[in-house]
Amino acid sequence: MTTIVVLVEQSNGNVRRASLETLGAAKASGGTVIAVVQESEAVAPALAKHGADRVVVLKGDGRSSPDRTARDVAALVRETGAKACLAAASSSGKQLMPRIAAELDSTVFSDCTGLDLSGTPKVVRPWLAGKLIATLESNAPVFCATLRPNTFGLREAPAAGEVVVKPSSNVLKAIVTAIEAKAGGKLDVKEAPVVVSGGRGMKGPEHFGLLEELAAAFGNAAVGASRAVVDAGWRPHSEQVGQTGKTVSPQLYVAVGISGAIQHLAGMRTSKVIVAINKDADAPIFKVADYGIVGDAFEVVPALTAAVKSVRAQR
Amino acid sequence: MNIVACVKRVPVTEATPKIAADGKSVDASGVEYMLSFYDDLAIEEAIRTKEKLGGEVTVLTLGPSEASKELRDALAKGADKAVILKDANFGARDARATAKALAKKLQELNARVVFMGRVATDRDNAAVGAYVATLLGWSCVTDVVKLELAADTGKACRETEDGVETVEFSLPAVITCDKGLNEPRYSNLKGIMAAKKKSVDEVAFEDVANQQAVAKLEPPPARKEGRVVGQGAAAVPALIDALRNEAKVL
Ligand SMILES: Cc1cc2nc3c(=O)[nH]c(=O)nc-3n(C[C@H](O)[C@H](O)[C@H](O)COP(=O)(O)OP(=O)(O)OC[C@H]3O[C@@H](n4cnc5c(N)ncnc54)[C@H](O)[C@@H]3O)c2cc1C
Ligand SMILES: Nc1ncnc2c1ncn2[C@@H]1O[C@H](COP(=O)(O)O)[C@@H](O)[C@H]1O
């Protein structure tokens, strides 16, 4: 039976949802699943619930170094004879997996949206910014891949979750020396189940408060932006959605005052449900939207915010 | 200091790709190319590093001879040398094969700091930078939005889901550049004239077999036909109804 090593990330002491999705996808592929976490075994029960047969805790000196982590994970893959190594396509997973793959002389499959490990490993993933979907096969000695968040879904699959503590190695090239947390624990657009994005139709940075309020009404939403808005300096580039920004796949994407240029669509077309609010009925965004309202954002958004609030208050 | 910017030529972002008859490759006819978006930032950061710390900037690509167009532009902006690892098949190379070819050349160039893009806007792998650094046993910081470099060490900021991370590292290093790191300059006439005297070398490289094979390319699944639920604020109840009862996302 194959063994699959899954890298697990934590955020504020909780397992990142995308890591749980990855664990579930690994478990569903069959085989033995080894979850690797850093420093703390506190999350082991949560990992067991989502399919971890074993939980390996890499205990070091508390310092975080991507090269060290990659080396330690690659060593674990070698020791266990694992045939696959998976992580979420998060910022951490994306920076670690190529290093792990390089340690294992294997290529890397990034940002996969489909996975089949039953025979020759196969993945499905967007290519050319989602303008094509590729099915790729691997003949690498170890199949190394990152899985797109919000794609595989959460799956409970109780497993033993036996905890093994391993000391981490001691060679560090790059060391994380500070982390400046996001204000108010704001959700990242890549992770949020709901994204409310604004474009040039918002007219100026001062009006993004309207979108912040709509996002707050949903409760689990992040604010995103088009490149036009980011280039104008209205919003930080960490919020940009699109081919040269972030790729998002939320349950619900609300595009307000965004025309729907091909580079923007590239970043959000895999959202489950797309809503467009735009005063131009011919805007290309309506071609990908499930639901559209033709109208002025400054009238529609406050009304929508009030309606979402009242729906959520009823529950 | 030997500074290198690794750059890749990719199809323009406006293009809608056509699938070739074999169902596994992109029809190359009529495709227009550009420098991958983030590689512009890599070139800019390389030139700024030279301006600050001294040294020489080489732009390096694994790609076709036609990439000399993008490399000439980098020379016009202030890069000193350009090298093409000549590969007619560069579009099909996987991350490992690409990284191995680049790593070997970087060693020959005696590079001390290498700038790459966060991700190439064709395959969206975001893999080559960290892969190269690992092969060479160098430091690497990915997705960098702020950088301070000295002769032997550096300090970089990268954006993550949880906030901004500061990473301290030693050289040699590979830095992958994210939007916000700098504002790339444009080439001017003087630079373009000066670039005419600089050479673009085309060299062969040792081929490494791919571990990734394309089995199939398809257009993305068509989205279900959507509808406009109405005009203006009056349409909000209809939207709420659709989101709750049809889409079930509220
Ligand atoms: C290499 C490259 C990479 C790119 N990468 C990205 C990327 O990653 N992400 C991205 O978004 N773009 C990207 N772009 C830019 C893209 O081509 C568009 O220019 C950009 O998306 C347009 O932003 P926008 O929709 O906000 O603005 P516009 O195209 O100006 O659209 C504004 C919209 O607002 C509507 N509007 C105006 N007033 C109102 C109102 N009061 N109420 C409601 N609607 C209103 C208008 O009808 C219009 O449709 C890239 C471009 C290039 C060349
Ligand atoms: N063929 C290539 N030639 C030179 N540099 C490349 C090549 N492919 C990738 N790179 C570099 O690696 C970065 C990330 O590419 P990728 O891992 O393919 O997303 C690019 O922005 C380039 O800086």
Side-chain angles (χ1 to χ4, degrees), chain A residues 53-177:
Chain A
D53 295 295
R54 207 185 310 159
V55 177
V56 173
V57 185
L58 294 173
K59 273 236 160 87
D61 47 13
R63 289 187 294 178
S64 159
S65 159
D67 45 273
R68 162 161 80 183
T69 304
R71 226 171 297 117
D72 290 348
V73 174
L76 181 70
V77 168
R78 278 194 217 99
E79 263 166 48
T80 56
K83 284 280 167 277
C85 184
L86 304 176
S90 58
S91 101
S92 159
K94 275 176 148 166
Q95 73 152 329
L96 288 171
M97 197 53 74
R99 297 177 214 241
I100 295 167
E103 298 277 352
L104 298 168
D105 197 24
S106 297
T107 199
V108 55
F109 295 81
S110 303
D111 210 17
C112 304
T113 54
L115 181 68
D116 176 0
L117 297 181
S118 58
T120 303
K122 273 197 204 58
V123 303
V124 175
R125 60 160 305 202
W127 247 8
L128 287 159
K131 292 169 201 163
L132 294 177
I133 305 294
T135 304
L136 307 173
E137 284 175 1
S138 163
N139 60 22
V142 180
F143 169 74
C144 296
T146 56
L147 308 189
R148 181 176 285 191
N150 280 333
T151 306
F152 287 84
L154 281 183
R155 224 186 303 232
E156 287 198 10
E162 170 209 353
V163 176
V164 182
V165 176
K166 277 174 69 88
S168 46
S169 58
N170 249 331
V171 189
L172 301 81
K173 292 210 177 298
I175 301 164
V176 178
T177 52

Side-chain angles (χ1 to χ4, degrees), chain A residues 16 105-107 110 125 128 131 133 135 137 173 175 177-178 180 237 240 244 269 271 291-292 294, chain B residues 13 38 96 100 122-123 125 131 137 161-162 164 166 168 179 211 213 215-216 218 223 227 229 232 246:
Chain A
R16 210 180 268 293
D105 197 24
S106 297
T107 199
S110 303
R125 60 160 305 202
L128 287 159
K131 292 169 201 163
I133 305 294
T135 304
E137 284 175 1
K173 292 210 177 298
I175 301 164
T177 52
E180 188 190 318
H237 54 85
Q240 185 182 317
T244 52
R269 70 199 310 161
S271 306
Y291 307 110
V294 177
Chain B
T13 55
Y38 296 97
R96 169 177 164 274
K100 287 201 168 184
D122 53 355
R123 302 301 171 71
N125 274 333
Y131 206 112
E161 291 86 353
D162 296 330
V164 176
T166 305
E168 292 182 30
K179 191 169 170 178
Q211 292 180 345
K216 193 163 62 177
E218 296 164 285
R223 288 194 69 91
R227 64 173 199 271
V229 297
E246 233 175 78

Side-chain angles (χ1 to χ4, degrees), chain A residues 198-203 225-229 231 234 240-246 253 256-267 277-285 293-300, chain B residues 12-14 34-35 37-38 121 179:
Chain A
R200 194 141 44 191
M202 292 307 294
K203 309 279 188 238
S226 72
R227 176 169 164 195
V229 154
D231 283 356
W234 298 358
Q240 185 182 317
V241 172
Q243 185 159 10
T244 52
K246 288 180 177 165
Y253 188 86
V256 185
I258 291 180
S259 59
I262 190 163
Q263 298 97 342
H264 188 81
L265 302 184
I277 299 168
N278 195 304
K279 70 174 187 192
D280 173 9
D282 294 325
I285 191 75
I293 292 183
V294 177
D296 187 341
F298 297 90
E299 286 169 23
V300 177
Chain B
V12 294
T13 55
E14 290 86 356
M34 63 185 255
L35 191 73
F37 175 81
Y38 296 97
T121 51
K179 191 169 170 178

Side-chain angles (χ1 to χ4, degrees), chain B:
Chain B
M1 184 182 290
N2 285 336
I3 306 158
V4 181
C6 290
V7 302
K8 187 179 191 188
R9 145 184 252 248
V10 300
V12 294
T13 55
E14 290 86 356
T16 306
K18 280 203 297 284
I19 300 167
D22 67 359
K24 302 177 181 194
S25 55
V26 177
D27 187 345
S29 61
V31 177
E32 285 178 61
Y33 294 88
M34 63 185 255
L35 191 73
S36 179
F37 175 81
Y38 296 97
D39 296 357
D40 238 353
L41 306 177
I43 292 170
E44 179 63 31
E45 203 59 26
I47 297 171
R48 287 189 190 188
T49 302
K50 175 178 89 165
E51 287 166 353
K52 192 161 155 252
L53 300 175
E56 204 175 54
V57 173
T58 304
V59 274
L60 172 64
T61 192
L62 172 74
S65 301
E66 289 81 359
S68 60
K69 178 171 174 284
E70 286 78 22
L71 297 188
R72 286 245 164 249
D73 189 50
L75 292 174
K77 288 177 176 180
D80 303 288
K81 286 199 257 174
V83 179
I84 300 179
L85 298 176
K86 202 168 170 222
D87 185 6
N89 203 24
F90 76 111
R93 238 165 256 294
D94 66 18
R96 169 177 164 274
T98 305
K100 287 201 168 184
L102 295 175
K104 188 138 183 282
K105 191 68 197 174
L106 290 169
Q107 236 162 358
E108 283 170 25
L109 291 169
N110 202 12
R112 184 100 176 123
V113 57
V114 177
F115 295 100
M116 301 207 195
R118 169 173 81 82
V119 59
T121 51
D122 53 355
R123 302 301 171 71
D124 308 303
N125 274 333
V128 169
Y131 206 112
V132 164
T134 307
L135 289 176
L136 295 170
W138 293 1
S139 310
C140 176
V141 191
T142 58
D143 308 351
V144 170
V145 293
K146 212 172 130 199
L147 179 68
E148 288 165 34
L149 269 186
D152 298 308
T153 57
K155 197 171 166 178
C157 293
R158 59 189 301 274
E159 250 161 43
T160 75
E161 291 86 353
D162 296 330
V164 176
E165 241 174 45
T166 305
V167 183
E168 292 182 30
F169 58 94
S170 55
L171 296 185
V174 176
I175 301 295
T176 82
C177 307
D178 200 353
K179 191 169 170 178
L181 177 60
N182 57 44
E183 261 325 308
R185 70 192 72 188
Y186 292 99
S187 48
N188 56 29
L189 192 60
K190 189 163 154 254
I192 293 167
M193 296 313 287
K196 292 212 161 111
K197 292 195 209 83
K198 301 176 186 170
S199 67
V200 177
D201 292 341
E202 288 191 24
V203 297
F205 72 100
E206 208 181 309
D207 211 330
V208 175
N210 279 333
Q211 292 180 345
Q212 166 185 296
V214 182
K216 193 163 62 177
L217 285 182
E218 296 164 285
R223 288 194 69 91
K224 207 161 45 61
E225 181 94 32
R227 64 173 199 271
V228 168
V229 297
Q231 314 275 326
V236 165
L239 176 62
I240 294 283
D241 181 57
L243 292 178
R244 286 187 80 179
N245 302 318
E246 233 175 78
K248 305 205 188 316
V249 288
L250 192 62

